[in-house]
Amino acid sequence: MSTNPTIIRTKASDNVGIVTSELGLSTGTVIVDGAVLLQDIPMGHKVALSEIKENAAVIRYGETIGYATSSIRAGEWVQESKISLPLPPDIDSIALPDGKRQKPQPLEGYDFQGYRNPDGSVGTKNVLGITTSVQCVAGLTQYAAKRIKRDLLPKYRNVDDVVALNHTYGCGVAINAPTAIIPIRTIQNITLNPNFGGELMVIGLGCEKLRPDWLTPDNDTSNILYMQDEAFHGFSEMIDGVLLMAELHLKKLNQRKRETCAASELVVGMQCGGSDSFVGLTANPAAGFAADLIVRAGGSVMFSEVTEVRDAVHLLVPRTINAEVGRALLDQMKWYDDYLRQGQADRSANPSPGNKRGGLSNVVEKALGSIVKSGTSPIVDVLGPGEKIRRKGLTFLATPASDFVCGTLQLSAGMNLHVFMTGRGTPYGLPMVPVIKVGSNSKLSNRWFDLIDLDAGPIATGEKTTEEVGWELFHLILDVASGKKQVACDKLGLHNDLVLFNPGPLT
Ligand code: CA
């Protein structure tokens, strides 16, 4: 990566550079290769480093992000309107890998203080999760969670939190539609998240389509409470019932103690949202470096967001460990192409207006910057939405790019820690797992000093290297997983709702 104080070019073949100055650059500024700015260009936006003729490729990250709709002069602002969207990589013509992937070099000696569970998984928090089988009960579970926190939690000092796992599914849905498997297994697997310590309680209404006993893996009905149960006279009896059940679980959770666990027990979900063009230059490369460290330490990393991977999938298939995993990755892309087509949308629905204001012109440019957070490790497995993680190493979990939907699905896959990169800024957080937020530029990180956990901005200015920030993130991950450091969104209590991915019809 070549950097001068004002412009970043990722690869020597790039014919556009990114303006890094916080105030943007003014007309007349001399930049790389002697090009002179022909107009004012804001931070994060692209400048042509040489002349780009009409229909010629616009190149960033060494890849074609589109074609010039008209001739662009050196020093011109390369805005979205000047780039036509190229076709996505043709899934059927991408060669599957030959299976000769080098094993990552082991990294030893790193551990954290986690909660070991009977099923072998490791938690980073100690949380009582209250599972629900239908949205109808959300009012009751929210009320109950408040009461449990007020009346019971002070007695159980080792328990961090009580969280009602409310969602919009359960009734009024075509529960027999083939795609219903996605929301159903998502809810089932969320309750198995390592941070809940295997202590399961389900609150149902009674008449819903999603049967509460589907949510208890061992069919133990003693952990299910129905509001419509005729034993209850009035709301206060229902609450008493929930509190009674909660206390049994709190007693068990309170016995959990942190112990030394190898870094190989980390299951980290990587995501970005509210992206700008710096995310692909600073925060995602640092996250990718940290992802490689976790994989080298024997841990698990997930990356997701199909629409932000689709246009770079030709770069990912060669990284899969065998033809079967490569095929699974392509199948997930195909499934999503069809899903978008059915909704009469296409991949141009991403990026968002904010992404564009941050300098991201189109989904190709976004995808090339997005996949960087996967690091360089081999991709050992591909999961469909709602599936649970099966292997150590780097896994692709197919999810929508929508922040809260992706987060919900990574949670159900079993992540015990979330790393979230942002450039425009989002307060995103989850109460079930710690969410470390990495800012892609110092302008944001400084302004949002109490919302961002780590600033990757110094990579853009050359003050720090990607490796330095990557190591900082790795150490922060271990500290947060150990409960030694609290993330910004937990300090402030900023937490998003669970949002299920339900591609099926409502009734
Ligand atoms: Ca996202």
Side-chain angles (χ1 to χ4, degrees):
M1 188 161 79
S2 85
T3 307
N4 75 12
T6 53
I7 299 283
I8 284 189
R9 166 157 60 174
T10 322
K11 291 268 168 70
S13 56
D14 291 359
N15 55 16
V16 293
I18 304 297
V19 172
T20 59
S21 315
E22 287 195 7
L23 300 172
L25 289 180
S26 331
T27 312
T29 309
V30 181
I31 52 158
V32 189
D33 299 340
V36 176
L37 245 60
L38 301 177
Q39 58 204 121
D40 295 352
I41 304 183
M43 180 182 95
H45 284 254
K46 289 179 287 298
V47 55
L49 301 174
S50 54
E51 189 193 356
I52 307 170
K53 293 219 163 66
E54 188 175 349
N55 298 323
V58 178
I59 299 169
R60 189 183 165 190
Y61 299 111
E63 296 276 327
T64 298
I65 61 167
Y67 299 95
T69 52
S70 59
S71 186
I72 303 170
R73 289 168 298 165
E76 232 183 285
W77 183 1
V78 185
Q79 284 175 281
E80 182 199 349
S81 60
K82 290 180 187 161
I83 310 175
S84 70
L85 187 65
L87 289 171
D90 176 22
I91 285 177
D92 295 320
S93 65
I94 297 174
L96 292 171
D98 55 14
K100 288 179 201 136
R101 291 279 317 170
Q102 263 197 326
K103 275 216 162 28
Q105 196 192 351
L107 177 71
E108 280 161 14
Y110 293 94
D111 49 41
F112 67 103
Q113 299 295 313
Y115 297 100
R116 217 176 270 287
N117 293 317
D119 69 355
S121 66
V122 170
T124 58
K125 263 188 169 182
N126 191 15
V127 178
L128 174 66
I130 304 175
T131 304
T132 59
S133 50
V134 69
Q135 165 67 208
C136 308
V137 302
L140 171 113
T141 52
Q142 273 163 359
Y143 185 97
K146 263 189 216 157
R147 280 283 306 274
I148 296 167
K149 280 193 211 181
R150 192 192 72 186
D151 300 345
L152 301 179
L153 208 54
K155 291 196 280 174
Y156 301 100
R157 294 276 171 199
N158 291 334
V159 184
D160 295 319
D161 206 356
V162 179
V163 180
L165 305 175
N166 290 327
H167 55 77
T168 55
Y169 204 70
C171 214
V173 291
I175 202 116
N176 294 319
T179 50
I181 186 69
I182 294 176
I184 293 172
R185 71 185 176 201
T186 304
I187 300 167
Q188 288 170 331
N189 286 334
I190 283 176
T191 54
L192 304 178
N193 186 280
N195 285 2
F196 301 133
E199 290 305 315
L200 203 69
M201 58 184 283
V202 184
I203 308 293
L205 183 62
C207 55
E208 60 270 36
K209 286 185 181 172
L210 177 65
R211 304 309 304 154
D213 52 304
W214 297 358
L215 304 178
T216 55
D218 48 4
N219 280 325
D220 184 355
T221 51
S222 69
N223 292 320
I224 300 173
L225 184 142
Y226 298 94
M227 283 186 81
Q228 291 171 350
D229 190 328
E230 290 183 5
F232 297 131
H233 291 264
F235 186 67
S236 67
E237 282 196 14
M238 294 170 200
I239 293 294
D240 289 346
V242 177
L243 261 64
L244 200 66
M245 188 185 272
E247 186 139 31
L248 296 174
H249 293 288
L250 286 171
K251 276 183 186 150
K252 290 192 200 159
L253 287 172
N254 202 46
Q255 287 162 16
R256 290 174 100 196
K257 297 266 166 14
R258 287 190 188 269
E259 56 186 284
T260 303
C261 301
S264 59
E265 303 296 352
L266 288 170
V267 184
V268 175
M270 295 281 182
Q271 203 201 153
C272 57
S275 298
D276 63 354
S277 58
F278 282 93
V279 166
L281 294 173
T282 59
N284 280 350
F289 186 85
D292 283 348
L293 294 176
I294 296 163
V295 169
R296 285 177 53 199
S300 311
V301 176
M302 287 181 274
F303 73 112
S304 299
E305 304 173 280
V306 174
T307 49
E308 291 176 17
V309 161
R310 177 66 181 88
D311 280 273
V313 73
H314 58 295
L315 305 174
L316 293 175
V317 171
R319 286 175 52 193
T320 56
I321 48 159
N322 56 39
E324 194 190 333
V325 177
R327 166 71 53 212
L329 179 59
L330 291 172
D331 285 348
Q332 289 296 341
M333 299 297 121
K334 242 183 221 169
W335 187 93
Y336 216 93
D337 282 355
D338 291 342
Y339 166 71
L340 288 175
R341 205 175 299 121
Q342 276 164 21
Q344 297 181 24
D346 62 32
R347 70 208 223 283
S348 68
N350 193 339
S352 70
N355 292 155
K356 289 178 182 178
R357 273 196 298 277
L360 286 173
S361 296
N362 63 30
V363 71
V364 182
E365 185 179 14
K366 192 171 178 181
L368 291 165
S370 178
I371 63 162
V372 179
K373 62 175 161 308
S374 70
T376 59
S377 305
I379 299 167
V380 298
D381 201 9
V382 170
L383 300 174
E387 285 188 312
K388 206 165 181 296
I389 197 158
R390 299 178 285 220
R391 290 180 195 156
K392 302 263 191 194
L394 179 68
T395 289
F396 178 74
L397 167 68
T399 77
S402 165
D403 300 350
F404 15 87
V405 181
C406 172
T408 300
L409 290 165
Q410 290 191 338
L411 188 74
S412 82
M415 73 171 163
N416 53 21
L417 200 136
H418 205 12
V419 177
F420 193 99
M421 278 60 72
T422 185
R424 305 287 298 169
T426 165
Y428 175 83
L430 292 171
M432 308 85 177
V433 295
V435 181
I436 293 175
K437 285 215 292 298
V438 183
S440 72
N441 64 83
S442 300
K443 192 179 175 184
L444 171 76
S445 305
N446 291 335
R447 199 172 79 242
W448 281 33
F449 61 93
D450 50 359
L451 290 157
I452 299 288
D453 297 289
L454 182 67
D455 180 22
I459 298 173
T461 53
E463 291 159 80
K464 284 183 187 173
T465 63
T466 300
E467 293 74 18
E468 281 170 325
V469 180
W471 274 108
E472 276 181 52
L473 177 57
F474 179 68
H475 286 290
L476 182 59
I477 287 170
L478 293 172
D479 285 347
V480 168
S482 301
K484 281 184 203 155
K485 272 192 187 153
Q486 200 180 23
V487 292
C489 58
D490 282 353
K491 273 185 212 159
L492 296 167
L494 301 180
H495 295 134
N496 288 82
D497 295 334
L498 291 178
V499 184
L500 295 176
F501 181 36
N502 176 22
L506 299 183
T507 59

